[in-house]
């Protein structure tokens, strides 16, 4: 019986980690990513959270940062900003305010947007608090995009 229990646990552990996760990343504008993957690391307000197959159910708030997706031996990085991530079974849903893959980041456009936002923040005297927060979020998200794009240089 002990051997049967040991073999059962071995099979449970080994098969649960070989099952892929299904990841879907959606923004208000588009579905940015949808695929079966091995792991995902999500930037949250509590820190980075690594998700493997068999992860417990989770609902967490996303922070500005780099989301890393691993499939086989390839790791892909996306810039994300705001929103929520939900883990349910072997499905991971990311509902983000902004998300973009590394390949789609236009470094020059991001630099220009960052410069404009920083100039507006510096010149702001009697700015609406919501506009001020929007500009700060734009600066943070632009910084994440540039970090993602420049990482592989």
């Amino acid at each position: 019986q002990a051997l049967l229990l040991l073999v059962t646990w071995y099979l449970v552990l080994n098969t649960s980690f070989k099952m892929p996760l299904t990841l879907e990343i959606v923004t208000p504008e588009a579905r940015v990513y949808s695929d079966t993957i091995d792991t995902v690391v999500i930037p949250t307000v509590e820190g980075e959270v690594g998700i493997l197959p068999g992860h417990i159910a989770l609902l967490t708030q996303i922070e500005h940062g780099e989301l890393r997706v691993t499939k086989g031996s390839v790791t892909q990085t996306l810039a994300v900003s705001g929103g929520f991530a939900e883990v349910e079974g072997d499905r991971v849903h990311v509902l983000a305010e902004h998300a973009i893959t590394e390949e789609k980041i236009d470094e020059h456009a991001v630099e220009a947007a960052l410069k404009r936002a920083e100039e507006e923040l510096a010149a702001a005297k009697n700015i609406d608090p919501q506009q001020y927060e929007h500009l700060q979020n734009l600066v943070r998200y632009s910084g994440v995009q540039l970090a993602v794009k420049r990482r592989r240089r």
Side-chain angles (χ1 to χ4, degrees):
Q1 279 187 337
L3 180 59
L4 181 59
L5 182 62
L6 192 63
V7 169
T8 302
W9 274 108
Y10 175 80
L11 291 174
V12 167
L13 288 175
N14 281 326
T15 56
S16 69
F17 286 111
K18 299 215 185 305
M19 294 184 335
L21 290 168
T22 301
L23 173 64
E24 185 170 63
I25 302 172
V26 179
T27 69
E29 292 82 32
R31 178 179 294 150
V32 176
Y33 188 95
S34 183
D35 202 356
T36 54
I37 63 166
D38 296 324
T39 66
V40 61
V41 177
I42 304 170
T44 74
V45 294
E46 301 292 324
E48 289 188 332
V49 175
I51 309 294
L52 297 167
H55 197 283
I56 62 169
L58 174 70
L59 180 63
T60 188
Q61 188 176 353
I62 295 173
E63 181 61 77
H64 301 277
E66 299 177 13
L67 184 145
R68 294 184 307 278
V69 178
T70 303
K71 182 174 183 174
S73 62
V74 177
T75 298
Q76 184 176 6
T77 306
L78 292 88
V80 295
S81 173
F84 294 90
E86 176 186 35
V87 179
E88 189 174 29
D90 287 328
R91 300 185 72 75
V92 180
H93 300 278
V94 174
L95 307 171
E97 291 175 23
H98 305 283
I100 188 168
T101 59
E102 178 183 357
E103 300 80 35
K104 292 187 178 179
I105 296 171
D106 180 342
E107 189 173 351
H108 298 295
V110 172
E111 287 173 340
L114 176 61
K115 183 178 179 185
R116 282 191 309 272
E118 287 174 335
E119 287 171 354
E120 284 185 49
L121 281 171
K125 292 198 170 62
N126 295 325
I127 192 169
D128 175 53
Q130 287 182 332
Q131 178 65 13
Y132 187 78
E133 183 178 350
H134 171 73
L135 290 171
Q136 285 184 317
N137 285 335
L138 181 59
V139 167
R140 283 193 292 268
Y141 182 55
S142 296
V144 171
Q145 289 182 75
L146 291 174
V148 167
K149 191 67 173 180
R150 294 171 177 169
R151 178 168 306 273
R152 301 215 189 266
R153 288 186 186 168

